[in-house]
């Protein structure tokens, strides 16, 4: 993988999309990382959050989670921020 660095944030029960995006923007800026991967559990609550908050999340999380995982597995840079939903 190239020299890109990614921050990883894990949320178990996300509820405030604007606050989450604001916090991750600051972490990205202050941490000097190239992107952020938001990891959420595969629960009804998390999926409902992503659906309801899609307009807010869309601008910050530009890479589909499945694509980010494919690229990381191949040793490539995902090229941006992604939401990754993982099985519990």
């Amino acid at each position: 993988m190239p020299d890109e660095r990614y921050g990883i944030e894990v949320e178990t029960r996300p509820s405030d999309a604007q606050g989450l995006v604001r916090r991750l923007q600051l972490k990205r800026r202050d941490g000097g990382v190239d992107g952020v991967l938001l990891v959420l559990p595969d629960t009804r609550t998390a999926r409902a959050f992503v659906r309801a908050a899609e307009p807010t999340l869309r601008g910050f999380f530009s890479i589909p989670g499945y694509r980010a995982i494919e690229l990381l597995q191949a040793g490539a840079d995902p090229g941006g921020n992604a939401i990754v939903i993982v099985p519990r």
Side-chain angles (χ1 to χ4, degrees):
M1 186 162 167
D3 293 335
E4 285 76 21
R5 296 178 340 149
Y6 279 78
I8 298 174
E9 182 79 11
V10 178
E11 290 279 329
T12 57
R13 294 188 64 82
S15 59
D16 176 12
Q18 289 179 340
L20 177 65
V21 168
R22 228 180 356 263
R23 189 172 76 245
L24 294 179
Q25 286 172 327
L26 290 173
K27 281 187 174 193
R28 182 176 180 184
R29 183 196 71 196
D30 296 346
V33 295
D34 299 295
V36 176
L37 302 177
L38 174 62
V39 179
L40 300 175
D42 188 5
T43 63
R44 205 171 330 161
T45 303
R47 287 191 178 276
F49 168 78
V50 171
R51 274 192 307 277
E54 195 270 334
T56 301
L57 300 173
R58 181 181 340 129
F60 186 69
F61 296 103
S62 57
I63 308 299
Y66 72 89
R67 184 66 182 142
I69 295 299
E70 288 174 350
L71 289 166
L72 288 169
Q73 287 175 336
D77 176 13
N81 306 315
I83 297 174
V84 178
I85 296 178
V86 297
R88 291 176 46 143

